[in-house]
Amino acid sequence: MIIKLLIVLLLLFILFNLFRALLIMVSGKAQQRPMSHYLGRRVLFSVIALLVIIAALKIGLLHSNPSPIYQATTHTQIQIDTARPHQQNANTKPPLEKQNAYHH
């Protein structure tokens, strides 16, 4: 749960930096920090978020959804053996079929 909260906070911080850069671009005022500073922070935290997600998947803290492509291309068959083996004697063997070689 903590890892998911961390990822959400990183994503919110990424959006915050993106909108800060947008405000600087739209206003056109010269401020103490240029727009590239906020865009650079957005890229940095995007990379950190991606690394956190990959690490959490590898460690097992997060579980990914199964691929729909994998499910569509694989076929799983379950074979249930319902026949019970039993001893056969002369009375339980099925009779041999007789075929007529001269059947018209």
Side-chain angles (χ1 to χ4, degrees):
M1 182 68 181
I2 293 175
I3 195 76
K4 292 179 184 178
L5 183 64
L6 176 67
I7 293 169
V8 168
L9 289 176
L10 281 170
L11 293 175
L12 288 175
F13 193 67
I14 290 167
L15 285 175
F16 173 75
N17 282 310
L18 185 64
F19 282 111
R20 287 286 301 257
L22 176 71
L23 289 175
I24 291 173
M25 183 180 71
V26 170
S27 68
K29 295 179 182 177
Q31 294 185 350
Q32 62 269 22
R33 296 209 173 165
M35 179 178 64
S36 62
H37 172 77
Y38 294 107
L39 292 176
R41 285 172 71 178
R42 181 186 66 91
V43 171
L44 174 69
F45 283 101
S46 297
V47 169
I48 291 172
L50 187 63
L51 290 176
V52 166
I53 291 170
I54 291 172
L57 284 170
K58 291 292 183 185
I59 293 172
L61 297 174
L62 288 178
H63 302 285
S64 62
N65 292 334
S67 171
I69 296 172
Y70 176 74
Q71 288 180 351
T73 58
T74 59
H75 301 286
T76 303
Q77 291 183 345
I78 299 173
Q79 184 176 5
I80 300 173
D81 188 15
T82 57
R84 294 183 185 170
H86 61 279
Q87 292 221 342
Q88 291 186 345
N89 59 26
N91 295 331
T92 60
K93 287 185 181 178
L96 296 175
E97 293 183 15
K98 296 181 182 178
Q99 294 182 353
N100 188 352
Y102 299 106
H103 182 67
H104 294 314

